[in-house]
Amino acid sequence: MKFNLDTAWKDASRLLSRNLGLLAVVAGVFFFLPYAGVAMALPEMGDLQAAQASGNFDLMAAAASDLYASYWWLFLVLAIIQGIGLLAMLALVRQRANPTVGEALAAGGRSVLSYIAAQLLQVALIVFVAVLLTAIGALTGLQALAVLGGIVAFVVTCYIVVKLSLVAPVIAIEGERNPVRALRRSWTLTRGQSFRLFLFYLLLLVAFMVLSVVITLVLGLPFALAGEQAALLGEGVLSGLVNAVMVVVAVCVLAAVHTQLARLGHERTPSADG
C-alpha cells in the first residue's frame, strides 16, 4: 500500500485540534520566546535580515557566517532547547501512555542528545554527497556538467531529507536512543514512499510560506509604521510567532506520517515473510 496524503493531513488535523492547547504552551516556551529573544537581542540579526531582503547570495552567506561565528554557542543552546521542545511535543501527541507535560519534557531532555547527534550525522551525509556530486561535475571543466552536478546534488539532498524526515518521531515516539538506528529506522519506514512524501511536504511548505508572508505583511505593517526600532521589535516577534506555528503544525504532520507508515510497515511484514 502507498502513503495516503489525504489521510495523513486528516490525522494531523485531528492531532492539532485535540492537543492545540498543550502544543501552543510548549511551543511558546521552547520556540517562540527563545527565537524572538535571540532575534531581538542580537543586532547582527538585523544585518542578516537585510541581506536576505537584498537577494544577494554572497551577502547573505557572509552575514550568516559572521553571525554563527560570533554566537555559535548561543545557537547551540537554542538548538538544545528547541530539540527538547520538539521531542516533548511529539511525545505528547502520540504516546499511548498519555504523559503529562512534565513527563514529556523529561523524555525530551533524556533523548535530545540522540536527536542532535542524528541531525549532525544527517547534515554530514548531505554535505558529503552534495560536495561529491558538485565536485565531480566541476572537475570535468565543462559548465554543463557542473550545472548538472549541482542539480543532481539538489535532488539527492531532497531525497535524503525526505528519507530521514522521521528521525524525530522515531526517537520521541518509539523511544530509539541510538542515532544511527534512528536514521536507519526512518529510512526503512519511508521505503517506497519517498515521492509521495516529497509531494506532501512540498505542498505543506508552499502553503506555509504563503501564509507566513501574509502574516508578516499584515501584522508587520503597524510595527513598520511606528519607526525603525519598532520594526526590528516586530520582526523578532513575528519571526518567533511564525516559527512556533510552523513547529506545532510540523509536529502533528510528522506524528501522523510516522503512524501511517508504521502501520503500512506492519501490514507489509506478513506478506514479505510469507
Side-chain angles (χ1 to χ4, degrees):
M1 295 181 65
K2 292 295 184 180
F3 171 73
N4 189 297
L5 282 68
D6 184 57
T7 299
W9 176 245
K10 288 179 179 178
D11 289 344
S13 299
R14 282 193 290 267
L15 288 174
L16 181 60
S17 62
R18 190 168 66 230
N19 301 280
L20 182 58
L22 284 176
L23 292 178
V25 171
V26 178
V29 173
F30 286 85
F31 288 90
F32 172 71
L33 292 178
Y35 193 91
V38 169
M40 290 185 291
L42 300 184
E44 290 82 355
M45 288 295 290
D47 298 336
L48 179 58
Q49 291 167 351
Q52 291 173 336
S54 70
N56 187 317
F57 179 79
D58 293 334
L59 192 61
M60 285 189 287
S65 177
D66 291 342
L67 180 64
Y68 286 108
S70 301
Y71 298 101
W72 62 267
W73 56 272
L74 180 59
F75 288 103
L76 177 60
V77 172
L78 188 65
I80 294 173
I81 291 173
Q82 295 187 340
I84 294 173
L86 175 66
L87 297 171
M89 286 192 288
L90 283 166
L92 282 171
V93 298
R94 269 304 182 188
Q95 280 194 0
R96 294 181 179 179
N98 294 321
T100 64
V101 173
E103 291 170 342
L105 291 175
R110 289 192 298 268
S111 55
V112 67
L113 293 182
S114 299
Y115 172 70
I116 291 176
Q119 293 300 303
L120 291 176
L121 289 173
Q122 179 177 339
V123 170
L125 176 61
I126 291 173
V127 170
F128 173 77
V129 172
V131 170
L132 178 63
L133 291 173
T134 53
I136 290 175
L139 288 175
T140 63
L142 299 176
Q143 183 66 25
L145 287 180
V147 173
L148 179 61
I151 295 174
V152 173
F154 175 75
V155 173
V156 173
T157 297
C158 291
Y159 176 74
I160 294 174
V161 170
V162 169
K163 294 292 293 181
L164 301 180
S165 60
L166 298 183
V167 168
V170 167
I171 292 174
I173 297 173
E174 298 185 11
E176 178 58 71
R177 299 286 181 83
N178 185 305
V180 175
R181 286 203 293 264
L183 292 168
R184 190 183 302 135
R185 171 65 173 162
S186 177
W187 197 280
T188 301
L189 283 171
T190 55
R191 182 179 299 150
Q193 314 288 354
S194 302
F195 183 67
R196 287 172 174 265
L197 280 174
F198 173 75
L199 288 179
F200 185 55
Y201 294 150
L202 181 61
L203 289 172
L204 292 176
L205 179 61
V206 171
F208 181 79
M209 289 176 63
V210 172
L211 182 62
S212 65
V213 169
V214 172
I215 291 175
T216 302
L217 289 176
V218 173
L219 299 182
L221 183 60
F223 289 101
L225 295 176
E228 183 178 353
Q229 292 299 320
L232 291 175
L233 173 65
E235 288 178 359
V237 172
L238 290 177
S239 296
L241 176 62
V242 169
N243 184 50
V245 171
M246 179 184 70
V247 169
V248 169
V249 175
V251 162
C252 295
V253 167
L254 289 176
V257 171
H258 172 268
T259 298
Q260 185 180 156
L261 293 184
R263 183 172 63 248
L264 291 176
H266 286 307
E267 291 175 357
R268 287 195 300 264
T269 301
S271 60
D273 292 339

